[in-house]
Amino acid sequence: MNLYTILLIYTAVINIYGFSLMYADKQNSIKKQWRVPEKKFFIISLLLGSLGTYAGMIIFHHKTKHWYFKYGIPIIITLQFLAIIYLNYRGLISF
């Protein structure tokens, strides 16, 4: 297995995890149970799980009223895409 395949699998897993975590936190908020710390969502997003976290926000209508989620997660997504474009341009990664 090459590095590109490992990175692709990692990215899929971390995004599924971010999405699932958003679902679990939404369910726990409805039931008035223990909640996932908000910091954890941002850590997952910074570790390349931002698309899954954002998809969970939109689909489950969760954390969308918090400005730091509403704007923070899309900013992280944008910065990650810009980093990918830059690294591709510099020849450090290729598609």
Side-chain angles (χ1 to χ4, degrees):
M1 210 180 317
N2 63 20
L3 184 60
Y4 180 74
T5 305
I6 293 169
L7 184 59
L8 196 61
I9 292 169
Y10 165 78
T11 304
V13 169
I14 196 79
N15 277 285
I16 290 168
Y17 180 65
F19 184 82
S20 301
L21 202 60
M22 194 61 75
Y23 173 76
D25 192 54
K26 175 67 175 189
Q27 294 305 307
N28 287 348
S29 72
I30 292 168
K31 297 174 188 173
K32 307 276 191 236
Q33 293 179 343
W34 177 84
R35 304 289 302 279
V36 175
E38 292 181 344
K39 183 167 116 176
K40 189 168 189 173
F41 289 111
F42 283 98
I43 291 170
I44 297 300
S45 294
L46 289 170
L47 294 173
L48 300 179
S50 54
L51 290 175
T53 302
Y54 189 69
M57 282 175 54
I58 300 304
I59 290 171
F60 305 123
H61 304 284
H62 191 52
K63 303 282 188 193
T64 55
K65 293 183 181 179
H66 300 280
W67 67 268
Y68 41 91
F69 277 94
K70 185 176 182 179
Y71 299 110
I73 302 299
I75 288 170
I76 291 171
I77 292 169
T78 303
L79 292 175
Q80 289 172 343
F81 274 115
L82 289 174
I84 289 168
I85 291 168
Y86 175 77
L87 292 172
N88 187 47
Y89 175 75
R90 299 289 294 179
L92 298 171
I93 59 172
S94 61
F95 296 102

